Amino acid sequence: MASSKSSRRAPSTEAPSPDTLRVILGDQLTHTISSLSDVDAGRDLVLMAEVDDEATYVRHHPRKIALVFSAMRHFARELEERGLRMRYTRIDDPRNSHSIDGEVERALGENAVQRIVVTHPGEYRVLRYIEQWASRFGVSVDIREDERFLVSIAAFGKWSSGRKTLRMETFYRQSRRDTGVLMDGDSPAGGQWNYDKSNRRRLPADVEPPPIPVFEPDDVTRTVLTLVAARYAGHFGELEPFDLAVTRRDALAALDDFVAHRLASFGHYQDAMKTGQSALFHSVLGFYLNIGLLVPREVIDAVESAYRSDRVPINAAEGFVRQVLGWREYVRGVYWTAMPRYRDLNALNAKRRLPSLYWGAETRMNCLAQCVSQTRRSAYAHHIQRLMVLGNFALLCGIDPAEVNEWYLVVYADAFEWVELPNVTGMILFADGGYLASKPYAAGGAYINRMSDYCGDCHYRVGHKTGEFACPFNYLYWAFLDGHREALSDNPRLAMPYRTLDRMDSTRRDAIRQDARLFLARLDDGECV
Ligand code: FAD
Ligand code: DLZ
Ligand code: SF4
């Protein structure tokens, strides 16, 4: 890989001074990225930079920083092998300005560049500074569509315009039709659009999920691990053992492994949780999709092809495709059509500070303890852990969306604002008032008990509704509905729980309110709950 030093050699007749600077961000590690589609090896310079601004604007989990830096270094080496001229700034380069802006400015100062080409970034914050490059640096700036997504921002904008609330299912069906994925002519493969009903099984005790592939760090990754350990020591999370894929080749191996060994059961056990098993039958591909080592279309095609060749059932293939073609594209569309106002939404007026248990402080609630410690170790939790344990608790306790958003952006190695923010603000906190989801995903302890083995080892009793040993999710759930009656009671999807609440006698309702008040006061006082 070229260092920034070697890329500033005096131009020779073979290598004229570059006139175009192609900027590749840390989540754009895709050989077919639009910013390189017409790259000219003779005239262009490709800039990549490891910078503290991106690693610390929130204090990312060290595994995420190592994943991004190591994948960037491997990708730069591959580009160099393609014959491209690289200007790569390492994190420990003493000349590093530690911002993308600063690195672009330095490159422009040392090369007679007329034009910058970059693919649309994944975050509004980054787009804002890229949009200033033209006036700031006096060069033309070509911001290109990120064609790795199947639905463009413009197409989503057209679809969503005029709708007060959006629904993923409608978007998803349209996307299936538009792309032909899992379609038999005009009909959905297998006859149904959605197989969710078959996808809610608890994991039987005798089902052992296959291991997730591990990738041994090579010398490049080892160097990065040493740097990350030294520079970001105070960040939440464990760096080692580091076993993630950092190259496209290994990410493709992870995809093959998922399709061969876990996809068939993905649907059935999608919602299940088990102590000591972080991924179960999930793909663990979000890390690689989100930095570009894999592109969504190839992942979807691999899954569809497994279904077409009878290797996996339709409920598995459809369940998975819905996540990638449905949810992933949908939340991205919501993000870009609703930013920047989306970041400040707080429809339920939630104000509580994020409790220290999210950062690993002791808790007697076993489900939370398990999910937080797994997150600290691996920078990963599967969807139901994020949604129905960690997210559900944040919703029921009324935690400030800004604090919850920051936590999710910090702790998961697949977290980038375009996907993290709508999932937190829209899906778990209902802070957008129902723009993204039709109802809050609030639930009592019974749901967690049904889908996991956490409750058996808990200090609390999931069957107790109130009282000293009652599962806090139980009374917090009813207290949440009670407290947000004005905002939520008209929601048809909540009609049944509100009827149940209204049928409770006043003694029970008072006990719920009292237990919730005491619990939240103890939480605010920093007591172990
Ligand atoms: P699988 O369960 O195997 O699913 C396959 C793929 O589908 C994922 O890799 C992902 O690309 C996509 N997907 C699934 N659900 C969603 C969803 N709700 N939104 C967008 N894509 C989805 N996903 C992220 O990629 N980054 C985040 O920062 C992120 N934050 C989340 C925060 C909360 C509160 C919640 C509830 C969900 C969040 N998700 C996020 C979505 C989802 O939880 C993760 O994509 C998933 O757990 C990653 O694990 P996996 O790769 O094993 O996914
Ligand atoms: C997440 C991340 C990190 C940790 N570091 C870098 C970096 O040093 N250089 C870089 O170009 N990108 C990094 N990224 C990814 C950016 O934050 C990413 O481009 C934005 O999150 C936009 O999606
Ligand atoms: Fe979580 Fe309640 Fe079960 Fe304990 S009893 S693990 S707090 S759901």
Side-chain angles (χ1 to χ4, degrees), residues 166-184:
L166 307 178
R167 289 299 162 252
M168 200 292 286
E169 191 65 29
T170 323
F171 167 81
Y172 168 57
R173 291 181 190 189
Q174 188 60 48
S175 301
R176 291 263 300 273
R177 285 193 192 93
D178 291 348
T179 56
V181 169
L182 284 181
M183 295 297 292
D184 292 330

Side-chain angles (χ1 to χ4, degrees), residues 240-254:
E240 304 226 35
F242 185 89
D243 52 10
L244 303 179
V246 291
T247 60
R248 173 162 168 77
R249 196 194 59 193
D250 284 351
L252 282 168

Side-chain angles (χ1 to χ4, degrees), residues 359-499:
W359 299 114
E362 200 188 340
T363 170
R364 297 182 185 125
M365 300 175 72
N366 189 41
C367 53
L368 290 174
Q370 292 299 333
C371 293
V372 170
S373 69
Q374 180 198 305
T375 299
R376 178 202 280 278
R377 268 194 317 276
S378 60
Y380 176 84
H382 75 60
H383 187 64
I384 296 301
Q385 296 175 307
R386 296 187 206 198
L387 178 68
M388 299 309 295
V389 178
L390 299 158
N392 187 18
F393 189 69
L395 170 74
L396 299 185
C397 293
I399 301 171
D400 183 340
E403 300 219 353
V404 185
N405 270 301
E406 178 163 337
W407 186 81
Y408 276 94
L409 197 53
V410 163
V411 302
Y412 293 114
D414 55 30
F416 293 86
E417 196 184 64
W418 64 265
V419 51
E420 173 279 323
L421 181 67
N423 271 296
V424 168
T425 284
M427 197 181 302
I428 66 168
L429 298 181
F430 208 66
D432 64 359
Y435 183 65
L436 176 144
S438 56
K439 74 172 181 83
Y441 284 86
Y447 176 86
I448 295 172
N449 189 36
R450 193 162 61 247
M451 298 318 306
S452 79
D453 63 356
Y454 295 147
C455 299
D457 289 328
C458 189
H459 165 87
Y460 297 103
R461 303 281 175 272
V462 71
H464 293 200
K465 306 296 181 209
T466 52
E468 188 186 348
F469 291 105
C471 166
F473 279 101
N474 289 342
Y475 48 76
L476 289 173
Y477 171 73
W478 292 114
F480 169 79
L481 289 183
D482 192 34
H484 291 292
R485 194 176 278 278
E486 207 179 311
L488 301 177
S489 62
D490 286 344
N491 185 320
R493 297 197 62 197
L494 293 175
M496 203 148 77
Y498 271 108
R499 270 201 301 277

Side-chain angles (χ1 to χ4, degrees), residues 3 7 30-31 95 118 137 240 256 275 287 296 321 388 406-407 451 480 506:
S3 69
S7 66
T30 312
H31 282 281
R95 292 155 302 181
V118 63
F137 302 134
E240 304 226 35
D256 288 349
T275 306
F287 300 149
V321 164
M388 299 309 295
E406 178 163 337
W407 186 81
M451 298 318 306
F480 169 79
S506 60

Side-chain angles (χ1 to χ4, degrees), residues 9 21 54 65 96 103 159 166 221 236 268 292 336 389 456 462 492 506:
R9 278 186 213 119
L21 186 69
E54 292 303 318
I65 302 175
N96 192 332
E103 287 312 287
W159 173 80
L166 307 178
T221 302
F236 170 86
H268 286 147
W336 284 109
V389 178
V462 71
S506 60

